[in-house]
């Protein structure tokens, strides 16, 4: 293959370098395009634009492949743990036994949040959406750790900020839930591992003993692994973009949490359950809702269907679907929403509209059903996504800093009014 692309413009030919990735992904390097031609490229929603080169996650949407640092997601979901995957994503390789122990211990020792932060929770209205709470409290970490504001910190300082971020986020998230139901925040316990500790802080009560259910721990660990990174998606690109201005890690992650919140991204898991409940409450007529989703005059979309990148199947959805069945069986939970979800999936997968547009269930289609069976309330689902995505955001922020990437600053094609003179208000 030629390593140069040719572009003809106004009768002139320009040569643009071609970049080929390690999995043979091809890109035309347009970094000097404007300087050479005065043209920019236009790509609303960045559907065809690579914003960076990255060594973290490989995703082939046509073949349904997802790998973190080269390791297939199927193997990681089966054999690894969320904390090991976090290490892999952030530091680039699987840890040795001692590296993993040190990493896990460091996270365990930093799970407490500053006592003054408790007052923030008290100030939120009872109905505050937990995504708003966790985004703002995450950003507030920067006020408690001003050393994180240093734009050129030493390696050890960056690693401490990363450890604090990973450790404290599970406490921040669990306390957002406790606060929303008016219960006292439960302090972390160092004898538990990361996932156990999160469940403990979510569901333990100071008045009762709490028993960790290994079935739930396993299912949650798997779910977090499946969400841990997904290359340059909306929230990750946001983290990299905010970080590119040399804003600190806490501010960058907080921005990523806000980007994840929307129903077209991480908010889809909440929207899926709300949609399934809507179908149930409406009498369970699945075909009616499939038709609504196809009707271009109706804003209704099948939440949990479709993906910007996956156009055959979402490998995460395939793993989750099996895990969901297994967990519900083990827990003996019968959820009528699962039946509606299965009917919906079948109806959509056999419908020409969805087949033609390559719309398949994505990771969020089944994750909400699992969270629901675990007793996690619907409004917390997107927070669970954020908990899982955190190592990916951190890894991408770290890579962006280490690569000394320039500040992200897209251009535009201006289509507004051309120059016009100001008119005094009396003359308008
Ligand atoms: N229901 C009905 N029609 C759909 C849907 C859907 N869920 N998704 C896409 N379409 C149609 C869309 O109307 C368009 O049709 P046409 O070509 O006739 O105009 C076509 O499919 C292409 O859609 P698009 O909106 O141009 O595709 P996109 O790549 O911009 O959007 C998406 C991807 C995920 C935002 C979209 O599929 C969607 O809104 N899905 C529902 C929300 C959802 O489940 N989001 C979670 C994504 S997975 C978690 C994550 O990683 O964020």
């Amino acid at each position: 293959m030629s390593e140069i692309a040719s572009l003809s413009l106004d009768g002139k030919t320009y040569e643009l370098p071609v970049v080929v990735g390690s999995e043979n992904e091809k890109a035309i390097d347009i970094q000097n395009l404007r300087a050479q031609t005065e043209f920019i490229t236009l790509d609303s929603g960045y559907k065809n634009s690579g914003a960076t080169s990255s060594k973290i996650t490989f995703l082939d949407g046509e073949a349904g492949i997802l790998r973190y640092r080269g390791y297939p997601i199927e193997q990681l979901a089966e054999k690894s743990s969320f904390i090991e995957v976090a290490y892999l994503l952030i530091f680039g390789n699987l840890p040795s036994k001692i590296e993993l122990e040190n990493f896990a211990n460091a996270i365990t020792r930093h799970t407490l949040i500053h006592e003054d932060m408790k007052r923030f929770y008290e100030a939120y209205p009872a109905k505050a959406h937990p995504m708003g709470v966790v985004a703002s409290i995450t950003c507030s970490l920067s006020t408690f750790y001003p050393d994180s504001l240093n734009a050129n910190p030493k390696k050890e300082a960056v690693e401490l900020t990363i450890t604090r971020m990973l450790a404290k986020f599970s406490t921040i998230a669990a306390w957002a839930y406790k606060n929303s139901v008016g219960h006292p925040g439960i302090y972390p316990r160092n004898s538990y591992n990361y996932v156990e500790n999160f469940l403990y802080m979510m569901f333990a009560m100071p008045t009762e003993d709490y028993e960790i259910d290994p079935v739930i721990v396993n299912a949650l660990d798997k779910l977090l692994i499946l969400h841990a990174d997904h290359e340059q998606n909306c929230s990750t690109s946001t983290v990299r973009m905010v970080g590119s201005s040399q804003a600190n890690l806490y501010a960058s992650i907080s921005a990523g949490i806000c980007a994840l919140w929307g129903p077209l991204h991480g908010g889809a898991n909440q929207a899926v359950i709300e949609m399934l409940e809507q179908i149930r409450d409406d009498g369970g007529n699945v075909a009616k809702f499939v038709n609504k989703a196809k009707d271009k005059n109706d804003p209704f979309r099948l939440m949990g269907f479709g993906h910007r990148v996956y156009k055959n199947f979402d490998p995460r959805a395939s793993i989750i679907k099996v895990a969901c069945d297994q967990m519900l069986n083990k827990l003996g939970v019968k959820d009528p929403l699962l039946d509606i979800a299965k009917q919906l999936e079948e109806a959509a997968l056999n419908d020409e509209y969805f087949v033609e547009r390559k719309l398949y269930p994505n990771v969020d289609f089944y994750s909400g059903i699992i969270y629901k069976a675990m007793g996690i309330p619907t409004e917390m689902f997107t927070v669970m996504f954020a908990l899982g995505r955190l190592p990916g955001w951190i890894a991408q922020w770290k890579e962006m800093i280490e690569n000394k990437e320039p500040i992200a600053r897209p251009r535009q094609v201006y289509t507004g009014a051309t120059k016009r003179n100001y008119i005094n208000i009396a003359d308008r």
Side-chain angles (χ1 to χ4, degrees), residues 246-297:
Q246 301 197 347
N248 64 82
L249 177 68
Y250 303 123
S252 306
I253 298 289
S254 169
I257 295 170
C258 292
L260 186 75
W261 193 352
L264 298 190
H265 191 11
N269 54 15
Q270 174 174 341
V272 168
I273 290 293
E274 287 166 355
M275 173 188 75
L276 295 175
E277 285 170 350
Q278 188 191 353
I279 299 175
R280 179 199 61 200
D281 297 346
D282 191 67
N285 185 346
V286 165
K288 175 179 161 189
F289 285 85
V290 171
N291 286 333
K292 267 166 78 62
K294 288 157 51 177
D295 180 354
K296 293 291 169 200
N297 297 316

Side-chain angles (χ1 to χ4, degrees), residues 264-265 268 296 301-305 308 353 357 362 364:
L264 298 190
H265 191 11
K296 293 291 169 200
R301 277 191 166 199
L302 281 192
M303 300 315 286
F305 269 77
R308 170 62 61 79
Y353 173 97
R357 289 169 180 76
N362 59 50
D364 285 328

Side-chain angles (χ1 to χ4, degrees), residues 121 124-125 128-138 172 175-176 179 261:
Y121 286 94
Y124 289 110
H129 195 286
M131 281 298 273
V133 175
V134 297
S136 48
I137 295 197
T138 297
I172 290 171
W175 284 23
N179 195 55
W261 193 352

Side-chain angles (χ1 to χ4, degrees), residues 44-45 47 227 230 233-235 259-260 262-269 271-272 275 289-290 292-296 298-311 314 316 353-354 356-365 385 389:
S44 181
K47 293 194 178 194
H227 283 88
H230 214 230
N233 56 84
C234 176
S235 56
L260 186 75
L264 298 190
H265 191 11
N269 54 15
V272 168
M275 173 188 75
F289 285 85
V290 171
K292 267 166 78 62
K294 288 157 51 177
D295 180 354
K296 293 291 169 200
D298 189 327
F300 179 82
R301 277 191 166 199
L302 281 192
M303 300 315 286
F305 269 77
H307 199 275
R308 170 62 61 79
V309 186
Y310 293 122
K311 299 298 176 197
D314 179 342
R316 302 166 302 170
Y353 173 97
F354 291 87
E356 233 173 47
R357 289 169 180 76
K358 302 189 169 185
L359 300 170
Y360 296 86
N362 59 50
V363 68
D364 285 328
F365 192 64
F385 194 152
R389 184 56 52 87

